[in-house]
Amino acid sequence: QARLVESGGGLVQSGDSLRLTCLASAQNFINRSRGWFRQDPGKEREFVASIDWGDDTTYYGDSVKGRFTISRDSTTNTVYLQMTSLRPEDTAVYYCAASTNRGSSLTRANSYDYWGRGAQVTVSS
């Protein structure tokens, strides 16, 4: 019954902004670190951003640092990814995930226990 569901993806132009939302279906995700990963067809899954459940420390992949911001609403366990200055290379399926881990391990996909089904983001030039 516990699920993560992404929304807010779509087709935008280079330079545009977009906000992704990850809705948690239950209280199962309390005290869970949360992360966003992305994957383009034929490429490896790439770390985008994460937020630590204990102290709200955030981590970002080098390719998105300064452009993307992860945040959470602790009352609902909803997590957001605000994306600005989007580039065509940001095109990917974006996945929301939850983890019991903390710290730098949150940059690794195998640290996460639950995954959403993904939301497509396409950035045209």
Side-chain angles (χ1 to χ4, degrees):
Q1 290 286 264
R3 289 187 292 272
L4 299 172
V5 181
E6 302 94 338
S7 63
L11 174 63
V12 298
Q13 297 183 66
S14 181
D16 282 355
S17 297
L18 198 63
R19 188 176 75 163
L20 299 180
T21 298
C22 181
L23 181 67
S25 65
Q27 290 294 310
N28 304 56
F29 300 107
I30 192 170
N31 292 336
R32 295 289 212 282
S33 297
R34 303 286 287 277
W36 290 94
F37 290 76
R38 66 187 185 187
Q39 189 167 23
D40 218 9
K43 298 181 179 179
E44 295 292 318
R45 185 163 295 188
E46 179 186 15
F47 169 69
V48 176
S50 63
I51 184 164
D52 190 300
W53 73 261
D55 60 9
D56 284 337
T57 297
T58 56
Y59 304 86
Y60 294 94
D62 289 340
S63 64
V64 307
K65 192 173 298 182
R67 299 188 298 122
F68 292 8
T69 302
I70 187 172
S71 61
R72 74 193 304 168
D73 181 341
S74 61
T75 66
T76 62
N77 284 318
T78 301
V79 176
Y80 304 93
L81 183 68
Q82 179 66 50
M83 304 180 289
T84 63
S85 301
L86 284 163
R87 307 163 180 168
E89 53 263 43
D90 294 318
T91 295
V93 176
Y94 283 71
Y95 297 93
C96 176
S99 175
T100 59
N101 294 307
R102 300 182 61 189
S104 61
S105 69
L106 297 174
T107 65
R108 298 188 289 274
N110 62 10
S111 293
Y112 292 80
D113 302 303
Y114 291 90
W115 294 83
R117 293 185 180 274
Q120 178 69 50
V121 173
T122 302
V123 185
S124 67
S125 59

